[in-house]
């Protein structure tokens, strides 16, 4: 798995895109703990209530802006497909204590 070490907490994702990919995997696996840990404290919900019926089928990264080891913020535009549809979002990420976290997103479709 591309991001198992991130999900296991062995190391932090080095870029906003890597965090986005690991969060997608966490959604597929319904790993609410990882999703909450990698969510900005300012915008993080108390819980997620993930839908067990959602079957994610693919992730396509459409664009990235900043989000490298040399930045403090970044965006990742993606399309996450699921059985019956897709989610198209531009997500914002920031570094908190040196680690990338998800801040929020804007739905595009």
């Amino acid at each position: 798995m591309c991001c198992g070490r991130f999900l296991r907490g062995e190391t932090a994702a080095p870029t906003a895109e890597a965090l986005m990919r690991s969060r997608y995997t966490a959604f597929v696996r319904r790993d609410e703990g990882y999703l909450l840990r990698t969510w900005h404290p300012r915008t993080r919900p108390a819980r997620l209530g993930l839908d067990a019926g959602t079957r994610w089928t693919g992730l396509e990264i459409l664009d990235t802006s900043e989000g490298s080891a040399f930045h403090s913020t970044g965006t990742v535009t993606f399309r996450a497909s699921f059985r019956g549809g897709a989610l198209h979002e531009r997500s914002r990420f920031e570094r908190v204590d040196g680690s990338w976290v998800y801040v929020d997103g804007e739905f595009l479709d």
Side-chain angles (χ1 to χ4, degrees), residues 11-95:
T11 188
T15 65
E17 181 180 340
L19 180 63
M20 175 64 241
R21 290 178 182 281
S22 70
R23 286 177 56 84
Y24 170 79
T25 300
F27 272 104
V28 170
R29 297 173 69 185
R30 291 190 294 280
D31 185 345
E32 185 172 340
Y34 181 77
L35 293 166
L36 292 173
R37 281 192 309 278
T38 58
W39 208 307
H40 198 293
R42 161 177 98 237
T43 57
R44 177 176 44 226
R47 56 185 305 275
L48 294 179
L50 300 173
D51 183 355
T54 302
R55 296 291 177 248
W56 296 100
T57 58
L59 175 67
E60 180 183 7
I61 302 296
L62 303 172
D63 189 41
T64 60
S65 174
E66 298 187 333
S68 78
F70 302 105
H71 299 107
S72 59
T73 63
T75 63
V76 178
T77 304
F78 67 93
R79 182 172 290 110
S81 301
F82 56 89
R83 198 171 296 150
L87 170 70
H88 187 194
E89 181 177 309
R90 181 178 303 114
S91 295
R92 292 186 321 126
F93 297 88
E94 291 180 12
R95 282 186 184 271

